Amino acid sequence: MRYTSTRDRTISCTFEEAICSGYAPDGGLFVPEELPVISVATLQEWAKLDFAQLAQTVLRLFVSESEVSAPELSNIVTYEGFAPAVVPLQRVGSLYVAELFHGPTFCFKDLGMRAVVRFLSLFATKRRQHRTLLVSTTGDTGPAAVQAVSDAKNPFLTLLVHYPDGQISSFQRKQLTTTDSPQVHVVAFEGGGDDMDRPIKNMLQSPGSHWTGVNSYNIGRPLMQMIHYIWTYLRVAEREEWEIGKQKLDIILPTGAMGNLAGGYMAKKMGIPLGKLCSGVNVNDITHRVMQTGAFHSSPCMLKTLSDAINIQIPYNFERILFYLTEQNDRLVREWMTQVDATQKLDLSTEWLQQLQQDFDSARISDEDMCTITRRVWNEHHYLMDPHTAVAMGAAETLGYFGKTAAVFATASPCKFEESVTMAVGKDTWDLFEQSDQFPASARAMLFQPERPPTIYRNNRSLSLYENQRQWEEQARQIVATLENMA
């Protein structure tokens, strides 16, 4: 399997080149040159596999044995530190909740990030070449990357991670600032959730650098994330006693940068029997607006919410969705994304909007609505959700899925969001949860570890966002140079 760009299908590279680059050389996103077609017979065989076996089997379709041997792939796709089922399903009314958060940092990002970092660690060791990983996080990607790099203990890997100051939960901040790994450097920047995306993209496109972006524009992330869609479909089919392939499963998920959504769309394009992929978003609602009206317009400012991890103004994986929506029309995607890069705006025609709406739906959930659905599900089903899962559950209600068979993705443990959960269900309920065995012991221990002050990128209010980003980029380059000199 080789990889190409969403903006130029004449580009062709290996899996190693794609995953180690982050962005494609033309500024597009890497995608497989072709998506394999999965037959019903193959799905029936996959239904017999556990999660790790399924992950290895699916990844082998995208990673040749000449690049990653069978023993190497087996070592990469392991799930130590996860729940035995890796992704257990809970029944909440008529809905199945696929809990994607039973990893080391209590969020779904562990499912993709740990494998991506292990791939990068393997290639760095093979080449005897130092590699610096760059991350900007709205709350969960950063801790997953920090944990994965710390656990890899590979002297060839270092990580520079950025988070928006004051816009992630205190638990998520502590996951970053309590790390004692010498290979990790943490920065807080005074800006919105995705304001570091442009500086990092500029750095990744620097010629001759050995830097890799591991946010969900990296092809390794959606490749890994398609696995839990396949797993969820097979488990629901098993419980509902469906004949595999005969019925489709709609899935509702909280949506930020659309990486998880892109993984699901790729799985659907491969023939996995998925119906509508439905996005739950908060008031930072560009995904909802484009799915309902075709207007993909960045908002002038990021609004603070109780579900900060999905605060996104320009979700970069929309580019992959457009690529598959247009049947891999790289010319049209290049035209569209050139416009987005220049103006932060794109208006889909009625024809393309109707195409988009055949596969996708969405709902916008306010903080008040998120709190209401959290209380309702707790009171009626004694099931406690984090604010992002609650946004998805609110979307499921708004879109009419209550009383129907569908799946909701639970993307994080409520243990990470004391402030938001307490606001929704009250301190007494939070205290009961915190004292129960559902609150991970390792999470409780982390709360008492000392924090290390992060580096700060200041926001000079006399400058434009673009000018501040230029300064942040220069600071990031200086930090990377120091990290590489120490390696």
PDB file of all heavy atoms in Angstrom, residues 216 222-223 225-226 229 253 257-268 277 317-321 324 360:
ATOM      1  N   SER A 216      -4.469  14.688  14.322  1.00  0.00           N
ATOM      2  CA  SER A 216      -5.191  13.750  13.469  1.00  0.00           C
ATOM      3  C   SER A 216      -5.069  14.025  11.982  1.00  0.00           C
ATOM      4  O   SER A 216      -5.624  13.287  11.171  1.00  0.00           O
ATOM      5  CB  SER A 216      -6.673  13.688  13.865  1.00  0.00           C
ATOM      6  OG  SER A 216      -7.291  14.941  13.720  1.00  0.00           O
ATOM      7  N   PRO A 222      -6.393   8.441  11.663  1.00  0.00           N
ATOM      8  CA  PRO A 222      -7.654   7.881  11.141  1.00  0.00           C
ATOM      9  C   PRO A 222      -7.554   6.404  10.788  1.00  0.00           C
ATOM     10  O   PRO A 222      -8.557   5.685  10.880  1.00  0.00           O
ATOM     11  CB  PRO A 222      -7.954   8.744   9.907  1.00  0.00           C
ATOM     12  CG  PRO A 222      -6.678   9.419   9.565  1.00  0.00           C
ATOM     13  CD  PRO A 222      -5.925   9.570  10.852  1.00  0.00           C
ATOM     14  N   LEU A 223      -6.376   5.918  10.390  1.00  0.00           N
ATOM     15  CA  LEU A 223      -6.245   4.481  10.134  1.00  0.00           C
ATOM     16  C   LEU A 223      -6.544   3.686  11.391  1.00  0.00           C
ATOM     17  O   LEU A 223      -7.246   2.665  11.350  1.00  0.00           O
ATOM     18  CB  LEU A 223      -4.839   4.151   9.628  1.00  0.00           C
ATOM     19  CG  LEU A 223      -4.469   4.577   8.212  1.00  0.00           C
ATOM     20  CD1 LEU A 223      -3.069   4.110   7.874  1.00  0.00           C
ATOM     21  CD2 LEU A 223      -5.475   4.053   7.192  1.00  0.00           C
ATOM     22  N   GLN A 225      -8.284   4.808  13.967  1.00  0.00           N
ATOM     23  CA  GLN A 225      -9.621   5.100  14.466  1.00  0.00           C
ATOM     24  C   GLN A 225     -10.715   4.376  13.691  1.00  0.00           C
ATOM     25  O   GLN A 225     -11.806   4.167  14.221  1.00  0.00           O
ATOM     26  CB  GLN A 225      -9.838   6.623  14.460  1.00  0.00           C
ATOM     27  CG  GLN A 225      -9.026   7.313  15.561  1.00  0.00           C
ATOM     28  CD  GLN A 225      -8.915   8.810  15.400  1.00  0.00           C
ATOM     29  OE1 GLN A 225      -9.037   9.348  14.309  1.00  0.00           O
ATOM     30  NE2 GLN A 225      -8.655   9.504  16.493  1.00  0.00           N
ATOM     31  N   MET A 226     -10.432   3.956  12.459  1.00  0.00           N
ATOM     32  CA  MET A 226     -11.462   3.196  11.745  1.00  0.00           C
ATOM     33  C   MET A 226     -11.713   1.846  12.421  1.00  0.00           C
ATOM     34  O   MET A 226     -12.793   1.277  12.294  1.00  0.00           O
ATOM     35  CB  MET A 226     -11.078   3.006  10.270  1.00  0.00           C
ATOM     36  CG  MET A 226      -9.953   2.057  10.016  1.00  0.00           C
ATOM     37  SD  MET A 226      -9.770   1.684   8.245  1.00  0.00           S
ATOM     38  CE  MET A 226      -9.430   3.291   7.567  1.00  0.00           C
ATOM     39  N   TYR A 229     -14.710   1.682  14.769  1.00  0.00           N
ATOM     40  CA  TYR A 229     -15.993   1.660  14.046  1.00  0.00           C
ATOM     41  C   TYR A 229     -16.346   0.231  13.651  1.00  0.00           C
ATOM     42  O   TYR A 229     -17.494  -0.207  13.806  1.00  0.00           O
ATOM     43  CB  TYR A 229     -15.910   2.529  12.788  1.00  0.00           C
ATOM     44  CG  TYR A 229     -16.036   3.999  13.028  1.00  0.00           C
ATOM     45  CD1 TYR A 229     -14.913   4.766  13.314  1.00  0.00           C
ATOM     46  CD2 TYR A 229     -17.263   4.643  12.949  1.00  0.00           C
ATOM     47  CE1 TYR A 229     -15.013   6.138  13.521  1.00  0.00           C
ATOM     48  CE2 TYR A 229     -17.377   6.009  13.155  1.00  0.00           C
ATOM     49  CZ  TYR A 229     -16.247   6.750  13.444  1.00  0.00           C
ATOM     50  OH  TYR A 229     -16.361   8.094  13.659  1.00  0.00           O
ATOM     51  N   LEU A 253     -21.254  10.825  17.394  1.00  0.00           N
ATOM     52  CA  LEU A 253     -19.993  11.050  18.100  1.00  0.00           C
ATOM     53  C   LEU A 253     -19.742  12.538  18.299  1.00  0.00           C
ATOM     54  O   LEU A 253     -20.153  13.362  17.476  1.00  0.00           O
ATOM     55  CB  LEU A 253     -18.827  10.434  17.337  1.00  0.00           C
ATOM     56  CG  LEU A 253     -18.519  10.979  15.942  1.00  0.00           C
ATOM     57  CD1 LEU A 253     -17.032  10.795  15.626  1.00  0.00           C
ATOM     58  CD2 LEU A 253     -19.343  10.266  14.874  1.00  0.00           C
ATOM     59  N   ALA A 257     -11.868  18.097  15.450  1.00  0.00           N
ATOM     60  CA  ALA A 257     -11.075  18.240  14.226  1.00  0.00           C
ATOM     61  C   ALA A 257     -11.479  17.252  13.140  1.00  0.00           C
ATOM     62  O   ALA A 257     -10.854  17.208  12.083  1.00  0.00           O
ATOM     63  CB  ALA A 257      -9.590  18.088  14.543  1.00  0.00           C
ATOM     64  N   MET A 258     -12.501  16.444  13.376  1.00  0.00           N
ATOM     65  CA  MET A 258     -13.057  15.484  12.416  1.00  0.00           C
ATOM     66  C   MET A 258     -12.158  14.285  12.143  1.00  0.00           C
ATOM     67  O   MET A 258     -12.412  13.533  11.193  1.00  0.00           O
ATOM     68  CB  MET A 258     -13.414  16.150  11.083  1.00  0.00           C
ATOM     69  CG  MET A 258     -14.558  17.136  11.146  1.00  0.00           C
ATOM     70  SD  MET A 258     -15.132  17.495   9.454  1.00  0.00           S
ATOM     71  CE  MET A 258     -16.272  18.831   9.737  1.00  0.00           C
ATOM     72  N   GLY A 259     -11.112  14.052  12.939  1.00  0.00           N
ATOM     73  CA  GLY A 259     -10.261  12.890  12.712  1.00  0.00           C
ATOM     74  C   GLY A 259     -11.008  11.586  12.917  1.00  0.00           C
ATOM     75  O   GLY A 259     -10.894  10.650  12.110  1.00  0.00           O
ATOM     76  N   ASN A 260     -11.768  11.511  14.010  1.00  0.00           N
ATOM     77  CA  ASN A 260     -12.564  10.317  14.289  1.00  0.00           C
ATOM     78  C   ASN A 260     -13.634  10.142  13.215  1.00  0.00           C
ATOM     79  O   ASN A 260     -13.903   9.025  12.748  1.00  0.00           O
ATOM     80  CB  ASN A 260     -13.203  10.453  15.672  1.00  0.00           C
ATOM     81  CG  ASN A 260     -13.482   9.113  16.327  1.00  0.00           C
ATOM     82  OD1 ASN A 260     -13.184   8.053  15.785  1.00  0.00           O
ATOM     83  ND2 ASN A 260     -14.063   9.160  17.507  1.00  0.00           N
ATOM     84  N   LEU A 261     -14.224  11.236  12.787  1.00  0.00           N
ATOM     85  CA  LEU A 261     -15.245  11.199  11.744  1.00  0.00           C
ATOM     86  C   LEU A 261     -14.652  10.714  10.420  1.00  0.00           C
ATOM     87  O   LEU A 261     -15.266   9.902   9.704  1.00  0.00           O
ATOM     88  CB  LEU A 261     -15.851  12.591  11.575  1.00  0.00           C
ATOM     89  CG  LEU A 261     -17.192  12.695  10.859  1.00  0.00           C
ATOM     90  CD1 LEU A 261     -18.304  12.054  11.684  1.00  0.00           C
ATOM     91  CD2 LEU A 261     -17.519  14.165  10.578  1.00  0.00           C
ATOM     92  N   ALA A 262     -13.442  11.179  10.095  1.00  0.00           N
ATOM     93  CA  ALA A 262     -12.784  10.760   8.854  1.00  0.00           C
ATOM     94  C   ALA A 262     -12.481   9.271   8.874  1.00  0.00           C
ATOM     95  O   ALA A 262     -12.638   8.570   7.867  1.00  0.00           O
ATOM     96  CB  ALA A 262     -11.504  11.567   8.637  1.00  0.00           C
ATOM     97  N   GLY A 263     -12.037   8.756  10.032  1.00  0.00           N
ATOM     98  CA  GLY A 263     -11.798   7.321  10.147  1.00  0.00           C
ATOM     99  C   GLY A 263     -13.056   6.516   9.884  1.00  0.00           C
ATOM    100  O   GLY A 263     -13.027   5.478   9.203  1.00  0.00           O
ATOM    101  N   GLY A 264     -14.189   6.997  10.403  1.00  0.00           N
ATOM    102  CA  GLY A 264     -15.456   6.323  10.171  1.00  0.00           C
ATOM    103  C   GLY A 264     -15.882   6.374   8.716  1.00  0.00           C
ATOM    104  O   GLY A 264     -16.400   5.393   8.172  1.00  0.00           O
ATOM    105  N   TYR A 265     -15.654   7.509   8.069  1.00  0.00           N
ATOM    106  CA  TYR A 265     -16.040   7.646   6.662  1.00  0.00           C
ATOM    107  C   TYR A 265     -15.191   6.737   5.772  1.00  0.00           C
ATOM    108  O   TYR A 265     -15.695   6.125   4.819  1.00  0.00           O
ATOM    109  CB  TYR A 265     -15.895   9.102   6.239  1.00  0.00           C
ATOM    110  CG  TYR A 265     -16.640   9.465   4.970  1.00  0.00           C
ATOM    111  CD1 TYR A 265     -17.881   8.913   4.660  1.00  0.00           C
ATOM    112  CD2 TYR A 265     -16.108  10.400   4.090  1.00  0.00           C
ATOM    113  CE1 TYR A 265     -18.563   9.267   3.505  1.00  0.00           C
ATOM    114  CE2 TYR A 265     -16.788  10.768   2.939  1.00  0.00           C
ATOM    115  CZ  TYR A 265     -18.011  10.193   2.651  1.00  0.00           C
ATOM    116  OH  TYR A 265     -18.679  10.548   1.505  1.00  0.00           O
ATOM    117  N   MET A 266     -13.905   6.630   6.102  1.00  0.00           N
ATOM    118  CA  MET A 266     -13.039   5.716   5.355  1.00  0.00           C
ATOM    119  C   MET A 266     -13.513   4.274   5.530  1.00  0.00           C
ATOM    120  O   MET A 266     -13.557   3.503   4.565  1.00  0.00           O
ATOM    121  CB  MET A 266     -11.590   5.882   5.822  1.00  0.00           C
ATOM    122  CG  MET A 266     -10.979   7.221   5.427  1.00  0.00           C
ATOM    123  SD  MET A 266      -9.417   7.586   6.276  1.00  0.00           S
ATOM    124  CE  MET A 266      -8.337   6.394   5.498  1.00  0.00           C
ATOM    125  N   ALA A 267     -13.899   3.908   6.755  1.00  0.00           N
ATOM    126  CA  ALA A 267     -14.410   2.555   6.994  1.00  0.00           C
ATOM    127  C   ALA A 267     -15.685   2.318   6.188  1.00  0.00           C
ATOM    128  O   ALA A 267     -15.870   1.239   5.594  1.00  0.00           O
ATOM    129  CB  ALA A 267     -14.668   2.346   8.486  1.00  0.00           C
ATOM    130  N   LYS A 268     -16.559   3.305   6.154  1.00  0.00           N
ATOM    131  CA  LYS A 268     -17.801   3.173   5.384  1.00  0.00           C
ATOM    132  C   LYS A 268     -17.502   3.010   3.903  1.00  0.00           C
ATOM    133  O   LYS A 268     -18.128   2.186   3.214  1.00  0.00           O
ATOM    134  CB  LYS A 268     -18.690   4.386   5.636  1.00  0.00           C
ATOM    135  CG  LYS A 268     -20.028   4.306   4.896  1.00  0.00           C
ATOM    136  CD  LYS A 268     -20.971   5.442   5.269  1.00  0.00           C
ATOM    137  CE  LYS A 268     -22.293   5.285   4.518  1.00  0.00           C
ATOM    138  NZ  LYS A 268     -23.283   6.309   4.907  1.00  0.00           N
ATOM    139  N   LEU A 277     -23.285   9.021   9.822  1.00  0.00           N
ATOM    140  CA  LEU A 277     -22.280   9.406  10.803  1.00  0.00           C
ATOM    141  C   LEU A 277     -22.692  10.786  11.295  1.00  0.00           C
ATOM    142  O   LEU A 277     -22.686  11.757  10.519  1.00  0.00           O
ATOM    143  CB  LEU A 277     -20.885   9.428  10.171  1.00  0.00           C
ATOM    144  CG  LEU A 277     -20.427   8.110   9.542  1.00  0.00           C
ATOM    145  CD1 LEU A 277     -19.065   8.276   8.871  1.00  0.00           C
ATOM    146  CD2 LEU A 277     -20.378   6.993  10.581  1.00  0.00           C
ATOM    147  N   ASN A 317      -9.516  17.701   9.199  1.00  0.00           N
ATOM    148  CA  ASN A 317      -9.893  16.456   8.534  1.00  0.00           C
ATOM    149  C   ASN A 317     -11.097  16.590   7.613  1.00  0.00           C
ATOM    150  O   ASN A 317     -11.444  15.629   6.910  1.00  0.00           O
ATOM    151  CB  ASN A 317     -10.149  15.366   9.573  1.00  0.00           C
ATOM    152  CG  ASN A 317      -8.864  14.674   9.964  1.00  0.00           C
ATOM    153  OD1 ASN A 317      -8.349  13.828   9.232  1.00  0.00           O
ATOM    154  ND2 ASN A 317      -8.333  15.055  11.115  1.00  0.00           N
ATOM    155  N   PHE A 318     -11.727  17.748   7.579  1.00  0.00           N
ATOM    156  CA  PHE A 318     -12.776  17.961   6.584  1.00  0.00           C
ATOM    157  C   PHE A 318     -12.210  17.775   5.179  1.00  0.00           C
ATOM    158  O   PHE A 318     -12.924  17.378   4.257  1.00  0.00           O
ATOM    159  CB  PHE A 318     -13.385  19.357   6.744  1.00  0.00           C
ATOM    160  CG  PHE A 318     -14.616  19.579   5.911  1.00  0.00           C
ATOM    161  CD1 PHE A 318     -15.678  18.679   5.952  1.00  0.00           C
ATOM    162  CD2 PHE A 318     -14.733  20.699   5.093  1.00  0.00           C
ATOM    163  CE1 PHE A 318     -16.833  18.888   5.187  1.00  0.00           C
ATOM    164  CE2 PHE A 318     -15.877  20.907   4.329  1.00  0.00           C
ATOM    165  CZ  PHE A 318     -16.921  19.996   4.375  1.00  0.00           C
ATOM    166  N   GLU A 319     -10.921  18.026   5.029  1.00  0.00           N
ATOM    167  CA  GLU A 319     -10.276  17.828   3.729  1.00  0.00           C
ATOM    168  C   GLU A 319     -10.327  16.363   3.304  1.00  0.00           C
ATOM    169  O   GLU A 319     -10.590  16.058   2.137  1.00  0.00           O
ATOM    170  CB  GLU A 319      -8.832  18.327   3.790  1.00  0.00           C
ATOM    171  CG  GLU A 319      -8.101  18.220   2.471  1.00  0.00           C
ATOM    172  CD  GLU A 319      -6.804  19.021   2.448  1.00  0.00           C
ATOM    173  OE1 GLU A 319      -6.604  19.886   3.335  1.00  0.00           O
ATOM    174  OE2 GLU A 319      -5.990  18.789   1.535  1.00  0.00           O
ATOM    175  N   ARG A 320     -10.098  15.441   4.221  1.00  0.00           N
ATOM    176  CA  ARG A 320     -10.203  14.016   3.873  1.00  0.00           C
ATOM    177  C   ARG A 320     -11.649  13.638   3.541  1.00  0.00           C
ATOM    178  O   ARG A 320     -11.902  12.842   2.638  1.00  0.00           O
ATOM    179  CB  ARG A 320      -9.691  13.147   5.030  1.00  0.00           C
ATOM    180  CG  ARG A 320      -8.185  13.062   5.139  1.00  0.00           C
ATOM    181  CD  ARG A 320      -7.732  11.940   6.059  1.00  0.00           C
ATOM    182  NE  ARG A 320      -6.276  11.867   6.103  1.00  0.00           N
ATOM    183  CZ  ARG A 320      -5.517  12.291   7.102  1.00  0.00           C
ATOM    184  NH1 ARG A 320      -6.098  12.829   8.178  1.00  0.00           N
ATOM    185  NH2 ARG A 320      -4.206  12.184   7.051  1.00  0.00           N
ATOM    186  N   ILE A 321     -12.578  14.205   4.291  1.00  0.00           N
ATOM    187  CA  ILE A 321     -13.995  13.912   4.024  1.00  0.00           C
ATOM    188  C   ILE A 321     -14.374  14.404   2.632  1.00  0.00           C
ATOM    189  O   ILE A 321     -15.051  13.704   1.862  1.00  0.00           O
ATOM    190  CB  ILE A 321     -14.874  14.521   5.125  1.00  0.00           C
ATOM    191  CG1 ILE A 321     -14.701  13.707   6.417  1.00  0.00           C
ATOM    192  CG2 ILE A 321     -16.342  14.576   4.701  1.00  0.00           C
ATOM    193  CD1 ILE A 321     -15.350  14.289   7.630  1.00  0.00           C
ATOM    194  N   TYR A 324     -13.039  11.981  -0.127  1.00  0.00           N
ATOM    195  CA  TYR A 324     -13.837  10.778  -0.362  1.00  0.00           C
ATOM    196  C   TYR A 324     -15.260  11.114  -0.821  1.00  0.00           C
ATOM    197  O   TYR A 324     -15.874  10.355  -1.570  1.00  0.00           O
ATOM    198  CB  TYR A 324     -13.839   9.901   0.887  1.00  0.00           C
ATOM    199  CG  TYR A 324     -12.483   9.259   1.104  1.00  0.00           C
ATOM    200  CD1 TYR A 324     -11.685   9.606   2.187  1.00  0.00           C
ATOM    201  CD2 TYR A 324     -11.992   8.325   0.201  1.00  0.00           C
ATOM    202  CE1 TYR A 324     -10.434   9.037   2.365  1.00  0.00           C
ATOM    203  CE2 TYR A 324     -10.744   7.755   0.366  1.00  0.00           C
ATOM    204  CZ  TYR A 324      -9.965   8.115   1.453  1.00  0.00           C
ATOM    205  OH  TYR A 324      -8.722   7.556   1.614  1.00  0.00           O
ATOM    206  N   PHE A 360     -23.897  12.124   6.294  1.00  0.00           N
ATOM    207  CA  PHE A 360     -23.627  12.800   7.565  1.00  0.00           C
ATOM    208  C   PHE A 360     -24.856  13.559   8.065  1.00  0.00           C
ATOM    209  O   PHE A 360     -25.706  13.981   7.294  1.00  0.00           O
ATOM    210  CB  PHE A 360     -22.469  13.791   7.408  1.00  0.00           C
ATOM    211  CG  PHE A 360     -21.164  13.166   7.023  1.00  0.00           C
ATOM    212  CD1 PHE A 360     -20.789  13.099   5.685  1.00  0.00           C
ATOM    213  CD2 PHE A 360     -20.313  12.634   7.982  1.00  0.00           C
ATOM    214  CE1 PHE A 360     -19.592  12.515   5.311  1.00  0.00           C
ATOM    215  CE2 PHE A 360     -19.116  12.053   7.620  1.00  0.00           C
ATOM    216  CZ  PHE A 360     -18.759  11.994   6.280  1.00  0.00           C
TER     217      PHE A 360
END
